[in-house]
Amino acid sequence: MPGITENKSFNIALACLSGILYAFLFPRFNLEFLAWFSLIPLLFAVHRSNSFREAFFYGFIAGVISYAVILYWIIFTVRVFGGLPVYIAVFALLLLSSYLAVYFALFAGFGRLLLNNYKKLSIILIPSCWVFFEFLKSTLLTGFPWENLGFSQYLNLPFIQVSDIVGAFGLSFVIVLINYSIFRFIFLKNAIPRKQAVFEMVFVSVVFIFVILYGYYNIHSVTGSLKNKEPLKIALVQGNVGMFQKWRITKKRTTRIYIDLTKEALKYKPELVLWPETALPYILSLNPHYRNIVMDFVRKNKVNLIFGSIGARFYGGKFHYYNRDYIFNPSGTSCFYDKHHLVPFGEYIPLRRTFPFIAHILRGAGIGNFAAGKKFRLLESRIKKQDLKIGSMICYEAYFDSLVRNFPREGANLLVSITDDAWYGRSSAPYQDMSMTVFAAVENDRFVARAGNSGISGIISPVGRILSATPIFTRTFATGYVKLINKRTFFSLYGNIFTYAVGVIFLLSLAWLPSRRLLKKVSKKN
């Protein structure tokens, strides 16, 4: 009995180690090199486990620890902006971390099944298992792709280039593949036939070399293709209006803050100016005076302006409100895009009608009541005889690759991201936010211009290089250049086809297990 207890304690320690290492991959730690062996302790604990339930438990521990460290800023957000007590804020963090940990746990539990039943194919099935549950986490119940494993490599430019084919989930596959191959080599080498071990080593090496070589090729190819394109100068305006202040100060003062900052930026002669999410925190259509002020400013200075505001439509006997992004052109025309993917418990309360008590409990916690947009509109203009077609990602949307790829597929030649990260305070969250936005650029081969109310504002190149980045919580502006690109990547055309393929492989491997056991029983009887 003591031996069993000691064995489990050691396994728990291994799971904790993997959880800590996983958390250290992301901003502001940025120890992305740990990704290549961060899961090895958990895999070893899973290998030593005696049941699906035990392996599930180890995965759950690793997941809770990792997400509690990554998402610690939720305590600040819930306490300060939600106005809720500290113990509720801590409970909210633990609740979300526990939910996300379930996907870690499912990987561990099913990983044990694969380890015990597929000695030869596990080299493919273990990474496929991870990708399946990571994709599920990113889509189920509106999805929460925050800091998926592949996102940890945002600074590793050669490695992330292949995401324009396989997406960020494909990067996760390669990382887990390498983790598992190292684990096999260290702990299972005596249980694997020599030929199989050699084959696996060659296979993993070829995959990794291909990814890196493709990365250098793509960086060279994309950089070369941009040389003859005419640059477009852009200004990113960062108002740094406090979250409490934002909704309370007068419309006149809010509008003046952004116009004054833009006047300073215009000295550098930008052709396109970008203001953040809800830079004008009022319903534009119901405030024609301020709408005219902004439009007159655009006409007078002959500049294109993109900014966030609140949209409203009346139908079904009531008003519906939208988190909206506008573009105002010097010609006096305008168009808009309404945010599609809303933040649950931030921009709306899920199941409000089914469970009205939830809305009652959360009343006064600063949660919006927005409706989701229905159409993928591009923000369009014409600059220097170039047709400007912009795909606008509002805040949270930038991490949802299946949503973002709709913009280049519809003809967008530039992506913009507007956000308001003041919710997170001076935590690691704004840096995590910026790191994930990098993949919208690489997967779709587009420049991304980003404006945040409190930062980080900056420009990301099509190969994922962060060309400029402002400090957080500073009232400032930045200027830089982008170029318009019309080419479509494999990923923007076909999306997560690689993810679906490995997901099907994983599910088929599970479906085959009962048949395999039945065949073994029949063969024994005969």
Side-chain angles (χ1 to χ4, degrees):
M1 191 71 175
I4 295 174
T5 303
E6 289 173 7
N7 186 54
K8 287 188 175 180
S9 297
F10 182 65
N11 290 344
I12 290 171
L14 289 172
C16 291
L17 179 58
S18 266
I20 293 169
L21 291 175
Y22 188 91
F24 282 2
L25 304 180
F26 304 100
R28 300 193 70 188
F29 298 108
N30 280 330
L31 301 177
E32 71 275 3
F33 66 91
L34 296 176
W36 308 108
F37 49 86
S38 60
L39 296 177
I40 293 175
L42 176 60
L43 288 169
F44 189 46
V46 168
H47 170 63
R48 287 160 49 91
S49 64
N50 297 310
S51 65
F52 179 96
R53 181 183 296 180
E54 186 180 340
F56 183 96
F57 174 66
Y58 297 144
F60 185 78
I61 290 173
V64 168
I65 290 174
S66 61
Y67 285 111
V69 175
I70 292 169
L71 303 174
Y72 74 94
W73 44 263
I74 284 177
I75 295 176
F76 172 86
T77 302
V78 172
R79 184 175 61 84
V80 175
F81 297 111
L84 299 173
V86 174
Y87 67 88
I88 292 182
V90 173
F91 175 74
L93 171 62
L94 293 177
L95 187 64
L96 179 57
S97 299
S98 297
Y99 165 70
L100 297 173
V102 169
Y103 297 98
F104 251 92
L106 289 169
F107 162 73
F110 284 102
R112 182 184 180 277
L113 284 179
L114 298 175
L115 281 171
N116 291 339
N117 291 280
Y118 291 99
K119 302 298 183 184
K120 293 183 178 180
L121 294 178
S122 60
I123 192 72
I124 294 295
L125 296 179
I126 294 294
S128 299
C129 177
W130 177 277
V131 169
F132 177 82
F133 289 113
E134 187 174 75
F135 180 74
L136 208 62
K137 174 178 79 76
S138 303
T139 53
L140 195 64
L141 301 176
T142 80
F144 193 75
W146 195 279
E147 296 302 27
N148 286 341
L149 182 56
F151 290 154
S152 68
Q153 301 302 301
Y154 79 102
L155 295 174
N156 188 350
L157 295 189
F159 178 71
I160 67 175
Q161 300 307 308
V162 77
S163 63
D164 70 354
I165 299 174
V166 297
F169 294 110
L171 302 181
S172 297
F173 181 93
V174 177
I175 294 170
V176 179
L177 175 69
I178 292 173
N179 271 266
Y180 183 62
S181 65
I182 296 173
F183 162 74
R184 292 260 285 189
F185 179 77
I186 296 174
F187 299 109
L188 300 180
K189 60 182 178 181
N190 295 328
I192 304 172
R194 184 179 179 83
K195 286 185 178 180
Q196 183 184 338
V198 172
F199 171 79
E200 289 182 0
M201 182 177 66
V202 171
F203 171 72
V204 173
S205 299
V206 168
V207 169
F208 184 73
I209 291 170
F210 168 79
V211 169
I212 297 301
L213 289 179
Y214 177 81
Y216 282 109
Y217 163 77
N218 197 60
I219 291 172
H220 176 75
S221 175
V222 171
T223 304
S225 69
L226 293 174
K227 287 182 178 178
N228 297 324
K229 289 186 177 291
E230 188 172 1
L232 178 70
K233 195 163 190 179
I234 187 170
L236 312 167
V237 178
Q238 184 171 299
N240 192 34
V241 181
M243 287 303 299
F244 289 119
Q245 184 186 21
K246 182 175 185 177
W247 302 97
R248 294 173 183 172
I249 62 176
T250 63
K251 299 178 182 67
K252 180 179 180 180
R253 186 179 170 193
T254 306
T255 308
R256 181 52 53 191
I257 287 171
Y258 279 97
I259 286 180
D260 288 346
L261 272 173
T262 305
K263 284 180 179 178
E264 290 295 313
L266 288 175
K267 294 176 183 178
Y268 297 87
K269 299 182 180 179
E271 293 136 327
L272 177 65
V273 176
L274 188 59
W275 293 356
E277 178 185 15
T278 56
L280 305 182
Y282 47 80
I283 301 172
L284 204 65
S285 59
L286 300 182
N287 291 274
H289 172 68
Y290 293 101
R291 187 187 191 283
N292 292 337
I293 287 175
V294 176
M295 182 60 85
D296 289 343
F297 177 79
V298 167
R299 284 172 173 164
K300 180 181 177 181
N301 292 281
K302 297 180 180 179
V303 67
N304 291 268
L305 174 65
I306 295 174
F307 62 93
S309 188
I310 307 298
R313 288 179 59 204
F314 186 84
Y315 65 89
K318 64 177 182 178
F319 276 102
H320 298 260
Y321 303 98
Y322 300 89
N323 190 345
R324 182 169 288 179
D325 198 5
Y326 287 91
I327 184 169
F328 279 9
N329 304 316
S331 63
T333 59
S334 66
C335 56
F336 64 86
Y337 164 78
D338 290 330
K339 186 177 182 182
H340 277 58
H341 201 114
L342 302 176
V343 181
F345 300 106
E347 292 173 312
Y348 76 104
I349 299 175
L351 306 174
R352 179 191 292 266
R353 293 181 180 177
T354 307
F355 303 106
F357 68 89
I358 296 177
H360 178 73
I361 293 172
L362 296 174
R363 186 185 302 166
I367 297 172
N369 186 24
F370 290 106
K374 302 298 182 186
K375 294 182 180 179
F376 276 95
R377 293 187 175 95
L378 300 182
L379 305 181
E380 299 187 34
S381 185
R382 189 168 176 81
I383 301 177
K384 289 183 176 179
K385 299 181 181 180
Q386 296 186 84
D387 289 324
L388 185 61
K389 297 182 178 181
I390 297 172
S392 177
M393 307 174 293
I394 302 179
C395 185
Y396 193 57
E397 290 184 314
Y399 330 138
F400 290 87
D401 52 15
S402 295
L403 182 150
V404 175
R405 62 180 280 264
N406 283 289
F407 293 119
R409 196 173 60 178
E410 293 295 321
N413 47 26
L414 175 66
L415 296 176
V416 302
S417 173
I418 63 170
T419 188
D420 187 352
D421 286 350
W423 292 100
Y424 308 132
R426 294 183 179 274
S427 70
S428 59
Y431 301 92
Q432 293 172 0
D433 190 350
M434 183 67 162
S435 71
M436 293 182 284
T437 306
V438 163
F439 292 85
V442 181
E443 288 171 346
N444 300 285
D445 191 12
R446 295 292 186 274
F447 276 91
V448 174
R450 188 175 193 268
N453 169 38
S454 60
I456 302 169
S457 303
I459 297 173
I460 304 169
S461 79
V463 297
R465 185 175 285 112
I466 299 174
L467 302 176
S468 62
T470 60
I472 62 173
F473 290 99
T474 304
R475 184 167 292 175
T476 186
F477 66 87
T479 60
Y481 292 93
V482 298
K483 294 183 178 181
L484 306 183
I485 301 173
N486 292 302
K487 184 186 78 172
R488 298 179 189 176
T489 65
F490 183 91
F491 183 83
S492 63
L493 287 171
Y494 302 105
N496 282 305
I497 190 169
F498 173 83
T499 304
Y500 301 144
V502 298
V504 168
I505 290 170
F506 166 67
L507 292 175
L508 288 175
S509 71
L510 295 184
W512 172 245
L513 287 179
S515 302
R516 186 181 178 184
R517 288 168 187 159
L518 182 62
L519 288 173
K520 282 185 177 180
K521 287 181 180 179
V522 171
S523 63
K524 283 182 180 180
K525 289 180 180 179
N526 295 334

